[in-house]
Amino acid sequence: MPTSTDTRYDEPPTRDNTAVLLVDHQVGLFTGVRDITVQDLKHNVTGLARAAAVLQLPIVATTTAADSMWGPLIPELAAALPADHKVIDRSTVNAWDDERVREAVEATGRSKLVIAGVSLEVCAAFPALSATAAGYDAYVAVDASGTFWATKRETGLLRLQQAGVVVTDYSSLMVQILADNADPLAGEVYGALDMPFATLVGQLAAALGPRAD
């Protein structure tokens, strides 16, 4: 079990110490998202999952009431997960309150947890707060999360920051874990993240050609 210390965030997230928890990116919940476009949210959480897979980070994905209230995972995310990935469907509001979710996270052996969810202030924030209390270092990917109106987003972010959870964006986390652009996986990671500006940089580099010595 991780041990919480005042300097726990001095150690950066790496391929060896980080896992990913994706909470309730479901079709029914996406219909109510208003703080980010549905297209952008789909793009970002799918990019997060794909990049995590390239970096071989363990991924735990959950739904709630998939057969009744909120429906299945969005197809784009389901397709981005490993073919044999088992999604945990639960009834608890806080994913961390489900023993199977906690056990799945614990089984990764990782001390740092990247979390995204719909909605931000419940599906992402509640397990982030609980994981922090349990000694994990929690990072919430805000742009791979979404919620239903501006006040919920603002209060959710404030609550996370008050609890010491790191709030960031989906691509910065994965690039930080990549760590070195000379890594053989760099192209695949950036491709998975599908950041428009990175694509333009690559096109510019290709247009300029090799630099003369």
Side-chain angles (χ1 to χ4, degrees):
M1 179 64 61
T3 301
S4 179
T5 68
D6 291 340
T7 59
R8 63 190 184 277
Y9 292 113
D10 290 346
E11 180 185 4
T14 69
R15 290 173 233 196
D16 297 321
N17 66 15
T18 304
V20 176
L21 176 60
L22 303 176
V23 185
D24 301 356
H25 291 84
Q26 295 167 253
V27 173
L29 289 168
F30 265 63
T31 64
V33 169
R34 296 292 183 270
D35 66 322
I36 182 173
T37 69
V38 168
Q39 180 181 359
D40 285 342
L41 182 53
K42 285 183 175 182
H43 170 275
N44 295 348
V45 71
T46 300
L48 174 60
R50 287 177 176 162
V54 172
L55 293 165
Q56 298 186 325
L57 305 180
I59 301 173
V60 179
T62 82
T63 56
T64 183
D67 294 330
S68 55
M69 293 175 67
W70 304 126
L73 285 182
I74 57 168
E76 294 87 348
L77 178 56
L81 295 172
D84 59 348
H85 191 88
K86 182 175 176 56
V87 177
I88 301 171
D89 189 57
R90 57 178 216 289
S91 61
T92 61
V93 172
N94 184 349
W96 200 260
D97 289 340
D98 189 294
E99 184 177 6
R100 296 167 299 166
V101 175
R102 292 196 309 275
E103 288 177 351
V105 172
E106 290 168 1
T108 69
R110 309 302 174 90
S111 61
K112 296 181 181 290
L113 194 56
V114 174
I115 303 172
V118 180
S119 64
L120 168 68
E121 78 289 349
V122 174
C123 301
F126 287 3
L129 297 171
S130 295
T132 299
Y136 290 84
D137 302 343
Y139 301 74
V140 170
V142 175
D143 58 350
S145 306
T147 191
F148 311 127
W149 57 84
T151 300
K152 293 176 77 62
R153 176 185 179 88
E154 293 164 3
T155 56
L157 290 173
L158 286 169
R159 189 172 184 185
L160 288 168
Q161 292 173 318
Q162 289 163 353
V165 175
V166 175
V167 292
T168 184
D169 64 276
Y170 85 101
S171 58
S172 293
L173 284 165
M174 296 299 104
V175 170
Q176 185 176 17
I177 292 169
L178 172 65
D180 190 340
N181 286 321
D183 190 295
L185 291 177
E188 193 174 353
V189 170
Y190 281 110
L193 293 171
D194 189 26
M195 297 179 292
F197 77 86
T199 301
L200 291 171
V201 169
Q203 291 169 344
L204 177 61
L208 293 174
R211 186 175 56 186
D213 294 329

